[in-house]
Amino acid sequence: MGGRDFVILTTIFNTSSVVKCRFNKEIVVNGSVDVYGRAHCVSPLLYETGRIPIEVSVDGGSTYPHSGTWLSVHPGKVSESEKCTLVNETKWQYYGTPHYGGSLTVHWNPDMLKTDLVDIEVWGYTESGEPYTATWSPSWKYLYTLVHKHLNNGDFTFIPKPAAAEHRVFEFGSLRIVPSKYDDGEWNIHSIWSVDHAMAWHLGEDFRKDSAGWARDKCLKWHASDKKLPDFLSEIIDCPCTQAQSRADMGRFHPDYGCDIDSGSVCTYHQGAKHCVRAIYGSPKYAAGQQCCYDERGIQVLTSDSVGGSTPDRGHDWGSPPYRKPPRVPGFSHWLYDVITFYYCCLWSHNCQYYLELRPSSDCRTYKPPKIASAFGDPHFITFDGVNYTFKGKGEYILVSSNKSLVIQGRTQIVKYANGSASTVAGFSSVAMQEGSSDIIEVRLTEDLVKVEVLLNHEPLSFNRTWIDLKGAFLFYGADKRVTAMFSSGAGVEVSGRGRFLSINVLLPEEFMNQTQGLMGVMNNNPNDDFTLRDGRVLLTNLTSEELFQFGADWAVTNDGSLFTYDSTWLIDNYQVKHDPNFFPTFSVQENPSDPITEDMKIVCGNDSFCRFDVLTTRDLDVGIATLMSHANYKNLSQSLQPVVSCGWLETPKNGKKEGTCYLYNYEVIFTCNTGYILVGSYSRKCQADGTWSGQTSHCVSGRKK
């Protein structure tokens, strides 16, 4: 939204310098130099998210010798401390409907604006031009000022009056608080924005007198106009059948911030749901979004059964690269086509059937979960086709190389025993990845194998947000030193710091079938060819440890193909040779009952052979615990991603009732009829393993019920 005053800390300027900042080589804003010689600029309003190139001039714009990057984020991901707060936000958005009236209050942190007096402005958003053509364009517009020269005390209360007719056409917008010294509606000045919201509070007397009738008219007009737009439903990705699948499919779906079980399940627009996810990327042609919601059982909630069901979106809430044009504008396009229209039909009136007709849930019958491969511990591998083996080389290796241009590489590093001496154990210390011309992402442990750091195109990346939009990828930094990269193909790569090693999970959608090679195998449901060499020769699956060592060495990274960063003498010295032929690992180890670590190992590891192996080779129970956790995480993801059979939604018979809203394998739906009607067809229907329902279609016909 812009308005952030930022300081350039690394360079001191003359106080007489004429500072200008240029974003994306096209948006120029005026800057200043403070008494300490530090240059200031204010971020502009943008219609995109991600890392935006910024250049700084000190000669009034003749030259731009300084450059850097500005991170633009979705308004919904901005911290509350950086926005002004609409007290009782629901009241603002329902003002004028029954039971909502009186005064409204907005709060802000007065220290964010170094001024005594502020103006509070109203801004509206619109998109004009012919949909899905080059003329379609977005626009934020200054509408009017609520109050001029208000004391900057962090609080303003007022009783809203209907806005002028030319302003009431804007039903979605934001407040902006600015120093009073600026002109009304002046662009790119230091400011504080509110959340974007439905502006019921400034609508006209016609809305206040009959909000339901006003909203119904709006709903019907929208319904008629939206039906004339291209159908996007056929090209969006289908929803996962279960919540477990949706949370595990991390390359294609991510929790919806408006309904996240990890954040308390505050599901304002999806009552009855406990968790929702959104498809990460927009659909191929129309940049549409998919949303999938699940109830307390972890079963998908469908709009055909509940107003709180999953709804697809003409405008993806998170936008769609390359952004900037409708319906790809992050947040705002979604509000116009999918949210304010929900207010018309479902929240301000009771005509939700019109909305749900055009935004129906998908029922997951065509969803296919991704395949998963994993590497962790000493290191141990589990391929996409389920083959597990241990490769203990020291060097840099290709984990996945795909004809679809995805490359994932792993670097192993020798660890030391607890007494500081070098061991014969190597584990992953860095993972680098790229898809096509995307940014290069590297996740690595620091040299002491303690902290996880992320590099972007070989430069350290600071994570002051959990989510970052990158070129060709999104990056999420979660709890427990977990970093997830999500590529436009739907591939997901999860890298976690586990003890002194990295743990890696790679999830690939079915489009990668028969398209992969490397240490994680050939993804084709045939475990017999997972040990395929670079030249295409296939080794047997019952290889000895020494033969596996040679197989792994064959997939060493080449110098000209490396994605890794070499920013220290230690890295340069240790990885000039991509596979160290002089490192001889411990290929096998025998359990000795008289070994003092054996009993503790049995307690910690149980029957997990990977954990037991790593405890014995490293002489470190913590390493074994980390391996055990990584293996358990893989098994949990693998179990969650098992295919689920769906038989599809069953309709409630007219003049009857339906009991049961789960349409997955082995679930039953029961039908009854209202008084005066007789059931024809099956009383009970069960979802069968072949994806069909048992029994016959159920109807209720007029007649005396027996």
Side-chain angles (χ1 to χ4, degrees):
M1 294 299 291
R4 285 294 302 275
D5 176 80
F6 63 91
V7 187
I8 298 166
L9 299 174
T10 54
T11 306
I12 300 299
F13 300 92
N14 294 324
T15 54
S16 60
S17 298
V18 181
V19 176
K20 290 185 180 292
C21 293
R22 184 168 66 182
F23 294 76
N24 257 348
K25 292 191 177 296
E26 58 185 17
I27 304 173
V28 178
V29 297
N30 294 325
S32 61
V33 180
D34 62 24
V35 295
Y36 303 105
R38 300 180 306 182
H40 290 244
C41 273
V42 174
S43 62
L45 178 66
L46 298 164
Y47 295 98
E48 60 184 310
T49 56
R51 292 166 61 83
I52 311 298
I54 178 176
E55 301 160 288
V56 179
S57 171
V58 292
D59 58 9
S62 298
T63 61
Y64 286 87
H66 307 282
S67 62
T69 303
W70 175 259
L71 179 63
S72 174
V73 301
H74 187 290
K77 298 172 186 173
V78 176
S79 65
E80 293 301 318
S81 63
E82 298 176 66
K83 297 181 284 193
C84 60
T85 302
L86 306 180
V87 178
N88 190 353
E89 188 179 325
T90 300
K91 185 177 178 181
W92 288 73
Q93 300 190 117
Y94 281 79
Y95 198 97
T97 65
H99 314 300
Y100 289 94
S103 62
L104 298 175
T105 299
V106 56
H107 288 324
W108 68 95
N109 179 1
D111 293 335
M112 291 183 67
L113 296 173
K114 305 302 182 184
T115 183
D116 294 328
L117 300 174
V118 297
D119 295 348
I120 302 179
E121 302 171 341
V122 182
W123 286 65
Y125 180 78
T126 187
E127 293 179 354
S128 58
E130 183 69 21
Y132 300 103
T133 70
T135 66
W136 208 8
S137 62
S139 178
W140 273 97
K141 294 183 181 294
Y142 164 77
L143 304 182
Y144 57 91
T145 298
L146 277 176
V147 60
H148 287 98
K149 296 183 178 180
H150 180 74
L151 187 65
N152 183 23
N153 59 4
D155 182 273
F156 175 63
T157 298
F158 69 108
I159 296 178
K161 298 178 181 179
E166 65 267 25
H167 298 148
R168 296 200 299 267
V169 297
F170 292 88
E171 296 144 1
F172 153 64
S174 295
L175 300 186
R176 189 180 79 154
I177 304 175
V178 299
S180 294
K181 65 180 181 180
Y182 296 111
D183 294 335
D184 288 346
E186 187 171 339
W187 285 85
N188 302 331
I189 57 176
H190 193 193
S191 55
I192 307 173
W193 291 86
S194 74
V195 294
D196 33 67
H197 62 284
M199 297 196 295
W201 58 273
H202 94 151
L203 297 179
E205 287 293 348
D206 52 346
F207 178 79
R208 297 185 181 189
K209 288 179 181 178
D210 182 13
S211 58
W214 182 97
R216 184 178 188 276
D217 289 343
K218 284 282 189 177
C219 175
L220 292 176
K221 290 177 181 177
W222 164 77
H223 182 268
S225 64
D226 196 79
K227 287 181 74 173
K228 297 177 183 177
L229 296 177
D231 174 29
F232 66 88
L233 296 175
S234 60
E235 70 164 9
I236 56 176
I237 186 174
D238 207 356
C239 282
C241 292
T242 65
Q243 179 179 298
Q245 284 181 332
S246 76
R247 289 168 68 86
D249 193 349
M250 63 190 74
R252 296 185 290 181
F253 295 91
H254 193 74
D256 183 344
Y257 300 104
C259 183
D260 183 359
I261 196 170
D262 294 329
S263 301
S265 296
V266 181
C267 304
T268 303
Y269 301 116
H270 296 278
Q271 298 299 317
K274 294 298 180 183
H275 187 69
C276 295
V277 297
R278 290 190 182 276
I280 295 168
Y281 285 91
S283 62
K285 184 175 182 180
Y286 297 116
Q290 177 66 287
Q291 183 194 49
C292 313
C293 296
Y294 303 88
D295 62 19
E296 59 188 4
R297 302 170 298 170
I299 302 300
Q300 191 185 4
V301 184
L302 303 180
T303 52
S304 46
D305 291 322
S306 168
V307 175
S310 315
T311 53
D313 303 313
R314 184 171 293 282
H316 196 303
D317 184 22
W318 302 337
S320 184
Y323 309 113
R324 306 180 74 175
K325 298 276 288 182
R328 297 175 178 272
V329 180
F332 310 142
S333 291
H334 174 60
W335 255 100
L336 276 189
Y337 305 112
D338 306 296
V339 181
I340 197 66
T341 52
F342 187 77
Y343 276 85
Y344 295 158
C345 301
C346 303
L347 300 181
W348 291 340
S349 74
H350 299 292
N351 297 280
C352 214
Q353 69 274 17
Y354 294 105
Y355 184 89
L356 299 181
E357 177 191 338
L358 302 184
R359 300 292 186 270
S361 303
S362 64
D363 63 9
C364 88
R365 279 180 292 177
T366 63
Y367 171 76
K368 290 182 172 57
K371 300 273 286 182
I372 181 173
S374 189
F376 52 85
D378 191 6
H380 312 288
F381 291 81
I382 305 175
T383 69
F384 292 109
D385 294 338
V387 174
N388 66 77
Y389 69 96
T390 298
F391 165 61
K392 299 167 63 66
K394 183 255 179 180
E396 296 172 347
Y397 305 94
I398 295 174
L399 305 182
V400 176
S401 177
S402 167
N403 296 341
K404 296 182 71 66
S405 72
L406 175 68
V407 177
I408 306 171
Q409 301 175 351
R411 173 191 289 157
T412 59
Q413 180 175 331
I414 299 173
V415 298
K416 295 181 178 180
Y417 291 122
N419 61 11
S421 62
S423 71
T424 55
V425 174
F428 283 109
S429 60
S430 185
V431 180
M433 62 200 89
Q434 183 182 34
E435 186 174 77
S437 60
S438 77
D439 286 329
I440 298 173
I441 300 165
E442 183 176 355
V443 184
R444 71 183 186 186
L445 293 169
T446 51
E447 286 188 24
D448 57 7
L449 304 180
V450 174
K451 296 180 180 179
V452 170
E453 60 183 1
V454 179
L455 291 88
L456 181 67
N457 299 323
H458 309 296
E459 296 290 337
L461 180 64
S462 174
F463 263 95
N464 56 355
R465 308 276 175 185
T466 58
W467 178 282
I468 297 182
D469 300 21
L470 304 175
K471 178 186 176 184
F474 293 108
L475 205 58
F476 177 73
Y477 192 92
D480 303 323
K481 299 191 292 185
R482 177 170 54 89
V483 178
T484 306
M486 297 149 276
F487 293 98
S488 57
S489 64
V493 184
E494 180 189 62
V495 183
S496 304
R498 299 277 191 187
R500 290 186 281 166
F501 300 138
L502 291 177
S503 169
I504 308 152
N505 289 311
V506 178
L507 294 96
L508 299 181
E510 66 169 348
E511 289 79 7
F512 282 84
M513 198 68 74
N514 288 305
Q515 302 288 316
T516 70
Q517 53 186 349
L519 295 186
M520 288 185 165
V522 179
M523 188 176 112
N524 61 359
N525 294 323
N526 176 17
N528 294 321
D529 63 0
D530 277 358
F531 297 134
T532 298
L533 300 172
R534 281 180 190 267
D535 61 11
R537 287 181 297 135
V538 179
L539 304 180
L540 300 176
T541 54
N542 57 343
L543 301 179
T544 65
S545 297
E546 290 77 6
E547 290 171 328
L548 284 171
F549 191 69
Q550 295 305 314
F551 163 72
D554 186 65
W555 283 107
V557 169
T558 60
N559 283 314
D560 58 352
S562 175
L563 300 178
F564 289 105
T565 303
Y566 305 92
D567 53 0
S568 71
T569 302
W570 186 88
L571 286 171
I572 294 171
D573 291 344
N574 279 270
Y575 292 98
Q576 284 184 344
V577 176
K578 300 308 180 185
H579 171 73
D580 187 349
N582 298 315
F583 174 67
F584 297 101
T586 301
F587 288 118
S588 62
V589 62
Q590 298 297 320
E591 294 185 12
N592 184 350
S594 62
D595 187 337
I597 205 171
T598 298
E599 285 304 312
D600 289 337
M601 175 200 69
K602 291 179 179 178
I603 294 172
V604 166
C605 299
N607 295 323
D608 192 292
S609 59
F610 293 144
C611 173
R612 295 168 81 110
F613 182 88
D614 288 0
V615 169
L616 293 176
T617 56
T618 64
R619 314 300 297 172
D620 191 331
L621 290 171
D622 288 338
V623 171
I625 292 171
T627 297
L628 185 70
M629 292 174 62
S630 297
H631 193 198
N633 183 45
Y634 163 79
K635 289 188 287 187
N636 181 58
L637 288 171
S638 183
Q639 178 61 37
S640 297
L641 292 170
Q642 291 301 305
V644 175
V645 174
S646 170
C647 293
W649 176 72
L650 285 177
E651 184 179 9
T652 301
K654 186 178 180 181
N655 300 310
K657 298 181 179 64
K658 177 180 70 175
E659 181 181 334
T661 56
C662 181
Y663 310 108
L664 305 181
Y665 170 63
N666 221 26
Y667 277 84
E668 185 180 34
V669 178
I670 295 173
F671 302 95
T672 56
C673 293
N674 299 338
T675 302
Y677 292 86
I678 297 173
L679 182 67
V680 176
S682 299
Y683 164 76
S684 170
R685 304 188 70 185
K686 197 169 189 178
C687 181
Q688 302 175 119
D690 63 356
T692 64
W693 287 101
S694 66
Q696 304 298 317
T697 302
S698 304
H699 303 281
C700 292
V701 299
S702 180
R704 179 172 295 180
K705 187 175 180 181
K706 297 179 180 180

